[in-house]
Amino acid sequence: MQVSIACNIGAGGGSGITASEHLQKERRVALSMTAALVGQSKVRAEPSKRTVLFDQKSSLHLFTFCRNLGKSGLRVSCLGLGTWVTFGSQISDEMAESVVTVAYDNGVNLFDTAEVYASGRYSKISLIYMGVVESGRSSYVVTTKIYWGGQAETEHGLSRKHITEGLRGSLSRLQLDYVDIVFTNRSDVNAPMEEVVRAMTCVIDEGLAMYWGTSRWKAAEIMEAYSVARHFNLVPPVCEQAEYHYFQRDKVELHLPELYYKIGVGAMTWSPLASGLLTGKYHKGVPDSSRAAMKGYSWLKERLHSDEGKQQLSKVKELHLLAERLKCTAPQLAIAWCLRSEGVSSVLLGVSNKEQLMENLGSIGVLTQLTPPLIAEMDALLGNKPRGHKKATRS
């Protein structure tokens, strides 16, 4: 049984329903789900060994919760699975397969990859996509990011050569004919914008990708790409991947909504738990099993020990008390807070086991509790509401 959990908000799609009516409909549906979802952290196994939030007698499985990717026609689950953690070297193939299966069975149709995830080896991902997802390629969305590649000068960056060859290499490792969305990182300021847009249009015309998006681009760069596309009759980007959580707000809440209304670019956000900072695991120091204690994450440990980090941890403790008041977990509240933001098409989850995934999926039930007074209370607690901030919530 497949149970969908993502949120049904997006462009009207020509249905004749106003945006206000869409929001009211979502509130009614989500309210009916709250009792079933809020606080759910235990995994329940079906006789078929599938892990789902609802049994077959539940009428809630009839509802699908998806959003349009920006103003495109592509429907994506509002909670996606980011595979950077799931397919990391510290996770076994069996656990990775289990996490993807549980996510898919609960309505997650968006799986985000990159050419360097799992050190550029896609054995785990290709095995799962080819063998676990049984409903066919058309039932899920795969993304990848191009930029890093190999060590040679021609194996990274955003030249037309690397965009084309890097994407083909990723497809080969994924054992897929195409990806639905290919993202580009704008770290390579030496690549002319016209070359990037033409290369993206080329891979789409060749059938290697359906859409293209940006990752960590500035709003001005996204607007430039759109202008180049329109000037030369090329394909413009449809989405920006951006970091978004309690302590990283300006881009998603100030700049991307404006781009959404002007040119239809949506937001796919990542790190909703701020690399684990919002979970509470660092309240009493850095556990040996935590990410901050791992090799290559010294930057996170330094951040936690900085004055700013200590202030943030103090605010996280207060947010935990707020979550207790709402009868949900702190991660559920943090993810729901991201989902409530205007223009956000999907929030990517980073999980390493099924229990963590099921807890995060329960954030859907918290969404309806984020009323304007509660958001105002959270803004006052955080003290970092962006200046010039306009209404940026879906409820």
Side-chain angles (χ1 to χ4, degrees):
M1 181 190 73
Q2 178 176 337
V3 181
S4 297
I5 52 83
C7 292
N8 190 15
I9 304 179
S15 63
I17 301 176
T18 66
S20 176
E21 290 171 331
H22 268 297
L23 294 175
Q24 291 300 319
K25 179 179 179 181
E26 186 201 42
R27 284 189 67 85
R28 290 194 299 271
V29 174
L31 279 169
S32 69
M33 300 178 68
T34 301
L37 285 169
V38 173
Q40 171 126 16
S41 59
K42 293 183 179 180
V43 178
R44 184 172 70 249
E46 295 284 295
S48 62
K49 297 184 179 180
R50 297 295 211 196
T51 304
V52 294
L53 288 175
F54 306 108
D55 58 34
Q56 293 183 357
K57 295 181 180 180
S58 172
S59 61
L60 295 177
H61 73 277
L62 299 175
F63 296 105
T64 57
F65 286 80
C66 289
R67 296 175 176 176
N68 286 66
L69 183 67
K71 291 190 177 179
S72 75
L74 182 63
R75 302 283 286 173
V76 296
S77 54
C78 71
L79 292 177
L81 184 63
T83 59
W84 177 47
V85 175
T86 306
F87 294 101
S89 59
Q90 70 274 24
I91 307 300
S92 68
D93 287 10
E94 292 76 15
M95 180 57 71
E97 178 178 333
S98 179
V99 168
V100 171
T101 304
V102 171
Y104 183 77
D105 282 348
N106 283 279
V108 174
N109 75 351
L110 175 63
F111 301 90
D112 178 66
T113 75
E115 63 178 333
V116 294
Y117 288 0
S119 301
R121 302 184 307 275
Y122 283 88
S123 57
K124 297 178 184 178
I125 304 175
S126 60
L127 171 66
I128 292 166
Y129 288 157
M130 299 298 288
V132 175
V133 180
E134 303 165 351
S135 299
R137 176 66 179 89
S138 61
S139 67
Y140 58 97
V141 175
V142 179
T143 78
T144 192
K145 286 181 284 296
I146 301 296
Y147 173 76
W148 302 275
Q151 298 298 317
E153 287 295 322
T154 55
E155 292 180 330
H156 58 85
L158 293 182
S159 67
R160 181 166 181 169
K161 176 180 175 62
H162 179 59
I163 287 175
T164 305
E165 294 177 348
L167 179 54
R168 285 176 175 162
S170 292
L171 291 174
S172 176
R173 291 187 291 275
L174 284 166
Q175 298 181 36
L176 295 175
D177 295 327
Y178 66 92
V179 292
D180 298 276
I181 315 164
V182 55
F183 288 97
T184 61
N185 189 300
R186 187 57 177 167
S187 298
D188 188 354
V189 295
N190 294 320
M193 185 63 74
E194 184 180 339
E195 179 177 355
V196 175
V197 179
R198 285 190 180 277
M200 286 298 167
T201 301
C202 181
V203 297
I204 290 174
D205 288 344
E206 289 183 14
L208 303 180
M210 298 290 186
Y211 304 87
W212 77 277
T214 58
S215 178
R216 294 184 171 183
W217 283 34
K218 298 177 182 177
E221 293 173 329
I222 298 171
M223 196 68 203
E224 181 185 356
Y226 178 85
S227 299
V228 168
R230 285 291 175 253
H231 182 74
F232 293 105
N233 196 29
L234 303 172
V235 180
V238 299
C239 187
E240 158 70 5
Q241 279 198 355
E243 182 178 4
Y244 185 46
H245 49 73
Y246 292 146
F247 304 118
Q248 186 82 340
R249 303 181 59 174
D250 285 16
K251 185 176 185 178
V252 172
E253 295 186 12
L254 275 183
H255 307 303
L256 292 186
E258 184 177 2
L259 290 179
Y260 173 76
Y261 285 110
K262 284 184 177 180
I263 61 177
V265 170
M268 187 181 294
T269 67
W270 50 275
S271 196
L273 303 180
S275 299
L277 174 68
L278 307 184
T279 64
K281 68 173 69 175
Y282 298 117
H283 285 346
K284 297 180 180 180
V286 179
D288 293 337
S289 60
S290 67
R291 189 181 305 179
M294 294 171 58
K295 183 179 180 180
Y297 287 89
S298 58
W299 59 269
L300 180 55
K301 192 171 185 179
E302 291 173 1
R303 171 185 172 184
L304 293 170
H305 291 158
S306 68
D307 291 340
E308 182 182 14
K310 292 176 182 177
Q311 291 176 358
Q312 291 177 347
L313 285 172
S314 176
K315 293 179 180 180
V316 169
K317 290 180 180 179
E318 295 186 58
L319 289 164
H320 274 235
L321 296 177
L322 179 58
E324 290 178 8
R325 197 174 86 201
L326 297 176
K327 293 182 171 55
C328 67
T329 67
Q332 287 173 340
L333 177 60
I335 294 168
W337 182 88
C338 294
L339 283 171
R340 112 280 178 210
S341 189
E342 184 179 36
V344 172
S345 299
S346 188
V347 175
L348 298 176
L349 307 175
V351 300
S352 57
N353 56 63
K354 292 188 297 183
E355 291 77 12
Q356 196 176 14
L357 172 64
M358 295 298 283
E359 178 187 1
N360 289 355
L361 295 183
S363 61
I364 295 299
V366 185
L367 189 57
T368 55
Q369 300 187 71
L370 301 187
T371 60
L374 184 64
I375 293 297
E377 181 181 348
M378 295 177 74
D379 283 338
L381 190 159
L382 291 168
N384 62 356
K385 184 176 180 178
R387 293 186 178 182
H389 188 278
K390 299 179 181 179
K391 181 182 178 182
T393 64
R394 292 178 179 269
S395 57

